[in-house]
Amino acid sequence: MSDFTLEPLFDYPQRQQVLDLAREHAEDVDHDKYSPFDTLRTLGSQGLLTLGRDGSLLPQVAVGFDLATECASTAFSLWAHRSTIAFFDALDLPLPDGLATGETTGTTAMAAAFKDSSGVGEIQVHATHVEGGLQLNGVISWASNLYPGGVVVLPVIVDDAAAGEPTKYIVQTRVDADGFNVKYQKGLLALDATESGFIKIENLFVPEADIMTRDVPGFLQKILAPFLLVQSSFCLGLGAAALNSAADHLDVAQGIFCDEFATIRAEYERLRTEITELAEHPQQVERRRVLQLRLDAAHLATAATRIELATVGGKAYKTNSPSARRLRESQFLPVQSPTEGHLRYELSHAQ
């Protein structure tokens, strides 16, 4: 047995409600019978989707962490939504109606922009100028929170840009806009309820007013910290829940896993300190530190869910057990953008 406890990253008045809501619906979310956004809208009505828009991001990071200790799918949906809010804030643009409360959902389709910036991928949505705006064609390989009426932020390559003009823009559109065609992906290991899918864009019109910025490098620099800090928070929360479960079974096999548990726990404590420090002053975050945090938090979640399986034993192998759910959720982290390969490439080239 261990004295490990699930301590909050930051305490806030609604914390118990956050935990209770996520726990109550975790199994139904996992079976795609309940939408994570039903929980998020409840939290949004209390201002819990817009914490840290100025100053410390730690309260928002703490909400993501707490959600993930009970349901990583809901925490993942929070991350994608909160990132969309951060995109508007980075450009000093007003939030679309309903985004602050979750009545309107937010989708980040920015993976291609980050990959293009790093040289590990390309933007696959092309734009040409037409009267009053842009016409878009192309594909987005993966995005989530794809609910009708939701706001989508994405990068485009402008094929007919004039000489000397930027050729990459960031634009916004809506999930149900004409020409925005979603093929929802189901049968996933986890996250089936997150409304994730592949998108084919055909002759989609984006008015001039929905071109958010033509300074893509500057935009990516501003959004990196909130994007990765909230993402790291749900990796860490998932790992914390697994360690909490494993801690109750360390007497298995005469305590053979105690030393390994202690090593993983020490890494968890280090990452708690790291994310807390970085989230307090997100505007000052060093790029390499936040990239490393995200990679390490994902590795922590993987290691923690593995030792949970090993210590809890056969009952953790049942598909409807919380242990099995956490194990499946952790397997998403190496492929979530930025993927493990992308992060490792970035870190190998970071100064």
Side-chain angles (χ1 to χ4, degrees):
M1 299 288 288
S2 165
D3 61 353
F4 184 91
T5 55
L6 277 174
E7 297 291 340
L9 291 179
F10 174 88
D11 213 353
Y12 51 95
Q14 306 93 335
R15 180 171 182 261
Q16 193 58 54
Q17 183 186 15
V18 169
L19 294 169
D20 289 345
L21 279 171
R23 183 186 307 116
E24 177 184 357
H25 300 296
E27 185 173 353
D28 283 344
V29 168
D30 188 41
H31 289 91
D32 197 15
K33 295 179 180 179
Y34 189 85
S35 171
F37 257 90
D38 287 337
T39 294
L40 296 185
R41 289 187 182 101
T42 299
L43 303 186
S45 68
Q46 301 179 46
L48 293 178
L49 305 182
T50 51
L51 299 172
R53 294 179 66 192
D54 294 306
S56 172
L57 191 64
L58 183 55
Q60 191 69 80
V61 164
V63 173
F65 173 90
D66 287 337
L67 285 172
T69 63
E70 299 293 345
C71 179
S73 292
T74 303
F76 167 78
S77 295
L78 168 71
W79 160 76
H81 185 82
R82 184 59 180 79
S83 293
T84 308
I85 291 172
F87 299 161
F88 285 87
D89 288 346
L91 299 169
D92 294 321
L93 295 173
L95 297 185
D97 290 346
L99 199 65
T101 61
E103 292 304 314
T104 299
T105 56
T107 294
T108 165
M110 291 297 299
F114 284 111
K115 289 180 179 178
D116 179 77
S117 173
S118 303
V120 297
E122 297 180 348
I123 297 170
Q124 296 181 292
V125 178
H126 292 254
T128 56
H129 287 91
V130 295
E131 184 177 353
L134 300 170
Q135 186 177 74
L136 274 52
N137 285 278
V139 297
I140 299 168
S141 60
W142 184 279
S144 301
N145 290 354
L146 293 167
Y147 298 89
V151 175
V152 185
V153 177
L154 68 150
V156 300
I157 295 179
V158 184
D159 292 332
D160 61 347
E165 292 294 318
T167 59
K168 296 166 187 174
Y169 298 169
I170 302 296
V171 305
Q172 61 170 305
T173 188
R174 297 284 178 149
V175 172
D176 47 6
D178 289 341
F180 192 93
N181 306 300
V182 180
K183 181 180 180 181
Y184 290 95
Q185 301 297 314
K186 298 294 182 179
L188 307 173
L189 285 177
L191 284 76
D192 253 1
T194 60
E195 295 302 286
S196 300
F198 169 87
I199 299 139
K200 185 173 183 180
I201 294 176
E202 298 179 292
N203 298 325
L204 170 63
F205 176 68
V206 171
E208 181 73 26
D210 287 344
I211 298 174
M212 297 175 67
T213 183
R214 293 170 171 81
D215 178 12
V216 175
F219 175 73
L220 293 180
Q221 183 177 355
K222 288 181 179 179
I223 67 172
L224 185 70
F227 188 87
L228 290 183
L229 285 171
V230 179
Q231 194 177 80
S232 297
S233 76
F234 81 74
C235 299
L236 197 59
L238 173 59
L243 288 176
N244 189 56
S245 174
D248 290 334
H249 299 85
L250 289 180
D251 55 353
V252 69
Q254 302 299 316
I256 192 66
F257 292 104
C258 287
D259 287 347
E260 183 179 352
F261 179 89
T263 299
I264 299 171
R265 177 178 181 169
E267 174 68 353
Y268 165 72
E269 297 294 348
R270 181 186 75 81
L271 292 174
R272 276 182 61 94
T273 300
E274 180 78 349
I275 197 171
T276 299
E277 291 178 358
L278 295 180
E280 280 280 19
H281 304 285
Q283 302 85 357
Q284 302 171 25
V285 165
E286 179 187 349
R287 179 182 183 85
R288 182 180 182 88
R289 281 186 73 184
V290 75
L291 289 169
Q292 190 70 59
L293 169 68
R294 166 62 176 83
L295 180 62
D296 291 349
H299 285 170
L300 181 281
T302 302
T305 53
R306 191 206 66 79
I307 200 170
E308 179 185 15
L309 182 66
T311 54
V312 174
K315 65 181 180 180
Y317 197 64
K318 295 181 64 176
T319 57
N320 63 347
S321 73
S323 299
R325 183 181 73 245
R326 284 189 284 269
L327 182 67
R328 287 184 282 105
E329 288 168 339
S330 73
Q331 298 310 298
F332 173 65
L333 301 179
V335 301
Q336 183 191 7
S337 186
T339 64
E340 180 166 347
H342 182 182
L343 288 165
R344 291 173 63 176
Y345 178 85
E346 284 254 25
L347 287 165
S348 72
H349 290 74
Q351 298 297 319

